[in-house]
Amino acid sequence: MTDTAWLPADFAHPLRAELVDGVHLRPIRAADVDIDMIAVMGNQQMLWAIYGEAWGWPPATMTREADEEDLARHAAEMETHESFNYAVLTAGEDRLLGCVYIDPLEPVDGAVAAEVSWWTVADAPAGVAEALNAFVPEWLAREWPFGHVSYPFNEGAPRP
């Protein structure tokens, strides 16, 4: 699927979104590798329970180099509107609290469609996970051109 088949040609993806006081979302970058490794590997079992079967991610043996390559791929895909990965970050961007993934689906009844998933670290500040659960669907409806959104990993449900 190409970017022109998925999103309108004039669509500009959001570069920042405020979640709660002191927490925001922005497109992830390869330079986020150090804080991403801490968040992902510190929550590897939880993330594997959610994404392991479908994506084979994150492997228990993921290296910094492999993570950096993965983040660079995500960043490049965002530039071409192939898919999107938003980091959930503290105000100083010194801690990654989770991610939001937005991937293309074939159009549903002619409407632009996406598959969306997100997670937060187990020790996220109080209220961040709940705020993200409420925020993402509303943000998608307000800022994105989707006529249909699928949530394949039961977002908002209690995590294992």
Side-chain angles (χ1 to χ4, degrees), residues 26-37 64-76 78 85 87:
R26 70 145 165 80
I28 203 156
R29 310 186 275 243
D32 296 324
V33 66
D34 292 328
I35 58 175
D36 187 70
M37 280 293 293
R64 182 185 188 283
E65 293 74 25
D67 191 31
E68 189 171 29
E69 288 174 12
D70 194 39
L71 296 180
R73 178 184 54 81
H74 284 299
M78 284 186 282
N85 178 346

Side-chain angles (χ1 to χ4, degrees), residues 4 31 38 46 52 71 77 80 82 87 90 98 160:
T4 55
I38 292 167
M46 175 195 72
L71 296 180
E77 289 174 350
T80 58
E82 293 174 61
T90 55

Side-chain angles (χ1 to χ4, degrees), residues 20 25 43 46 56 64 74 76 81 88 91 101-102 132-133 139 142 148 151 157:
V20 296
L25 283 72
N43 293 273
M46 175 195 72
R64 182 185 188 283
H74 284 299
H81 285 182
V88 180
Y101 308 109
I102 303 170
L132 192 63
N133 291 343
W139 180 56
R142 184 183 71 241
H148 174 83
Y151 302 102

